[in-house]
């Protein structure tokens, strides 16, 4: 499905803020860290296979040192996928070695850098954090693998110390520096400023990892791209620690549709991917979830439905269609329904209503919907019979 960029007259006409977007998917690692969620071996393989088929650039397959089953899953995903595979490791020698031994293409090492985490989680000094970060980066480099480093809790880290850590791992030869908003406290403008600052102190490519505690994860990820980041870490349906991560589907479609960037991702399988992760994670997709929720391309309001039937761009983004993400448009009948939707549904059910009959059925639909009742095809058929609407093939003569 070709990308469709068609902004009309208005304020949102500039689509050249971002040159390229790479997608680092962490559904199988950070996504699995969602409370009350766990993927088994087959779950991980199925999700990784689809991510790979869709053209995802990097798949963070897991935390190899965590357990033997985790190591096996990461190892098998690394062997079976074309995407760059990544294993997570603390700045601990055995963690890094486990990731190397799993056969991944990239090792992602991390250490806390904020004072609160250093003091009350790691129980380490700033100097120890820097030394362990450098040593871990060198260990991965010596193994001949790509290495990513994360200063965990970067957005709550002392600025001068963050620069010190970034410069130290850069000198050690790091390939990627990931800037994580670990506790979801960033705002788009502030995060962009931070990414620009980091870019001034490293030649490594910059990756961003944003959390959704205030509902700003995707906005922060996109601001990171605008500030020069090359890649964003995302999870399908936004699952992850606490309120979750920047959502795969939101970041990809924002890049494709709002910024006119070809991500290389097969967007027509996004809904399929979302449903798979919903099933395997047992975390329901909210109906109003952007891009993949049941209501993302659904219309009930009479004014909206009538407009969309005439021209879908009237009350949909215009630059993103359901077909682009493998979804379908739906006209829902309820309290706010207008005659256009009712006529459409009646005709789909093989009725041939007059204008007055459409108005009569619409009145019944509104009353029924006001009682919070679900209006199914059988309910519409019952209303049609009550009003006396003839079927299209019927020879019944209306009185």
């Amino acid at each position: 499905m070709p990308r469709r960029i068609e902004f009309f007259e208005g304020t949102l006409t500039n689509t050249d803020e971002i040159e390229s977007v790479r997608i680092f998917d962490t559904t199988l690692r950070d996504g699995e860290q969602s409370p009350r969620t766990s993927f088994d071996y087959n779950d991980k393989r199925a999700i990784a296979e689809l991510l790979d088929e869709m053209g995802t650039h990097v798949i963070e397959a897991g935390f190899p040192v965590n357990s033997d089953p985790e190591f096996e899953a990461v190892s098998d995903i690394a062997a079976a996928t074309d995407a760059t595979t990544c294993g997570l490791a603390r700045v601990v020698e055995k963690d890094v070695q486990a990731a190397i031994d799993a056969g991944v293409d990239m090792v992602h090492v991390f250490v806390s850098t904020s004072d609160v985490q250093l003091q009350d989680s790691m129980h380490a000094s700033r100097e120890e954090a820097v030394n362990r970060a450098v040593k871990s980066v060198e260990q991965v480099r010596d193994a001949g693998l790509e290495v990513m480093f994360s200063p965990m809790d970067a957005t709550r880290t002392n600025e001068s110390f963050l620069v010190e850590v970034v410069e130290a791992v850069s000198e050690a030869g790091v390939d990627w520096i990931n800037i994580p908003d670990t506790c979801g406290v960033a705002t788009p403008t502030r995060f962009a400023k931070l990414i620009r600052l980091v870019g001034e102190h490293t030649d490594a490519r910059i990756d961003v990892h944003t959390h959704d505690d205030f509902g700003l994860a995707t906005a922060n990820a996109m601001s990171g791209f605008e500030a020069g980041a090359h890649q964003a870490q995302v999870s399908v349906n936004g699952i992850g620690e606490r309120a979750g991560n920047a959502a795969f589907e939101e970041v990809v479609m924002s890049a494709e549709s709002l910024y006119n960037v070809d991500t290389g991702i097969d967007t027509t399988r996004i809904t399929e991917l979302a449903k798979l992760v919903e099933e395997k994670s047992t975390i329901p997709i909210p109906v109003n979830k952007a891009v993949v929720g049941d209501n993302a391309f659904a219309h009930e309001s009479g004014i909206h439905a009538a407009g969309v039937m005439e021209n879908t761009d009237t009350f949909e983004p215009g630059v993103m269609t359901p077909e682009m993400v493998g979804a379908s448009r739906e006209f829902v009948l309820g309290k706010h329904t207008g005659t256009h939707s009712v006529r459409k549904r009646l005709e789909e059910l093989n009725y041939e209503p007059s204008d007055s009959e459409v108005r009569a059925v619409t009145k019944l639909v509104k009353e029924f919907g006001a009682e919070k009742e679900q209006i199914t095809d059988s309910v519409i058929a019952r209303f049609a019979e009550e009003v006396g609407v003839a079927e299209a093939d019927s020879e019944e003569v209306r009185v």
Side-chain angles (χ1 to χ4, degrees):
M1 176 67 63
R3 288 176 299 125
R4 182 180 177 205
I5 305 301
E6 188 181 324
F7 280 116
F8 303 100
E9 288 187 12
T11 58
L12 303 177
T13 56
N14 184 27
T15 58
D16 60 1
E17 303 99 326
I18 299 173
E19 292 183 4
S20 64
V21 166
R22 285 174 52 90
I23 299 299
F24 178 118
D25 184 85
T26 186
T27 306
L28 301 179
R29 199 278 298 171
D30 202 336
E32 189 183 23
Q33 290 175 205
S34 300
R36 295 175 287 276
T37 295
S38 177
F39 296 130
D40 64 23
Y41 174 88
N42 291 326
D43 295 339
K44 285 204 165 196
R45 289 297 302 273
I47 294 169
E49 181 179 5
L50 184 50
L51 285 167
D52 190 36
E53 290 175 358
M54 291 174 65
T56 306
H57 304 99
V58 182
I59 299 173
E60 189 167 45
F63 191 19
V65 79
N66 188 51
S67 66
D68 290 340
E70 179 80 349
F71 180 92
E72 181 184 6
V74 173
S75 181
D76 288 352
I77 289 169
T81 55
D82 292 325
T84 296
T85 51
C86 180
L88 184 71
R90 296 167 297 182
V91 286
V92 175
E93 185 177 354
K94 68 173 185 177
D95 281 35
V96 175
Q97 193 59 50
I100 293 169
D101 292 343
V104 296
D105 305 297
M106 174 192 292
V107 178
H108 177 191
V109 298
F110 71 96
V111 68
S112 295
T113 54
S114 67
D115 288 336
V116 65
Q117 288 194 0
L118 282 171
Q119 293 167 12
D120 298 327
S121 178
M122 276 194 66
H123 306 291
S125 68
R126 287 181 175 181
E127 182 180 6
E128 288 172 321
V130 173
N131 290 338
R132 289 165 67 176
V134 169
K135 184 177 179 180
S136 294
V137 167
E138 291 174 341
Q139 184 180 352
V140 180
R141 293 290 295 174
D142 290 344
L145 300 180
E146 203 169 356
V147 57
M148 172 181 285
F149 170 73
S150 288
M152 186 161 69
D153 208 13
T155 49
R156 299 194 301 174
T157 295
N158 174 273
E159 188 174 289
S160 61
F161 179 57
L162 180 63
V163 168
E164 178 185 342
V165 176
V166 165
E167 291 181 340
V169 295
S170 297
E171 290 176 10
V174 75
D175 297 294
W176 288 91
I177 291 180
N178 171 50
I179 299 300
D181 181 26
T182 304
C183 294
V185 297
T187 61
T189 301
R190 297 171 193 165
F191 195 60
K193 181 180 178 182
L194 180 62
I195 298 307
R196 284 191 287 269
L197 173 69
V198 171
E200 293 169 359
H201 293 274
T202 184
D203 291 328
R205 287 182 289 178
I206 298 175
D207 177 268
V208 296
H209 179 111
T210 55
H211 276 270
D212 210 34
D213 296 74
F214 290 89
L216 294 172
T218 295
N220 286 330
M222 300 317 294
S223 77
F225 280 123
E226 289 189 7
H230 302 80
Q231 182 170 271
Q233 298 192 4
V234 299
S235 67
V236 180
N237 301 337
I239 66 173
E241 292 276 7
R242 304 181 313 281
N245 296 348
F248 178 106
E249 60 279 1
E250 294 175 11
V251 172
V252 169
M253 292 313 299
S254 291
E256 292 270 350
S257 293
L258 299 179
Y259 290 88
N260 198 17
V261 175
D262 185 354
T263 63
I265 303 292
D266 181 0
T267 67
T268 65
R269 302 189 72 180
I270 280 179
T271 298
E272 176 188 354
L273 177 65
K275 296 298 183 185
L276 176 64
V277 172
E278 178 183 45
E279 174 194 346
K280 302 302 185 183
S281 68
T282 69
I283 299 176
I285 300 172
V287 295
N288 64 330
K289 174 72 178 63
V291 184
V292 296
D294 286 347
N295 286 356
F297 300 99
H299 306 274
E300 179 180 328
S301 165
I303 293 173
H304 284 230
V308 169
M309 287 180 195
E310 182 74 21
N311 178 353
T312 58
D313 292 344
T314 54
F315 289 103
E316 286 183 4
V319 292
M320 178 175 69
T321 66
E323 294 79 14
M324 288 171 68
V325 298
S328 58
R329 185 174 293 105
E330 182 183 7
F331 294 97
V332 179
L333 301 185
K335 176 182 177 181
H336 307 99
T337 295
T339 55
H340 289 78
S341 293
V342 171
R343 180 183 294 278
K344 178 177 173 62
R345 183 68 66 85
L346 285 169
E347 290 174 348
E348 289 173 349
L349 294 175
N350 202 39
Y351 288 99
E352 198 172 60
S354 66
D355 291 347
S356 62
E357 289 169 345
V358 168
R359 290 194 294 271
V361 172
T362 301
K363 182 175 183 296
L364 293 174
V365 165
K366 286 177 174 289
E367 292 171 351
F368 199 68
E371 298 298 323
K372 299 185 179 181
E373 297 288 346
Q374 185 176 4
I375 300 172
T376 62
D377 286 350
S378 61
V379 170
I380 291 296
R382 189 175 81 233
F383 290 164
E385 291 178 10
E386 288 181 19
V387 171
V389 183
E391 294 185 14
D393 295 332
S394 172
E395 306 219 348
E396 175 183 342
V397 177
R398 292 193 182 95
V399 179

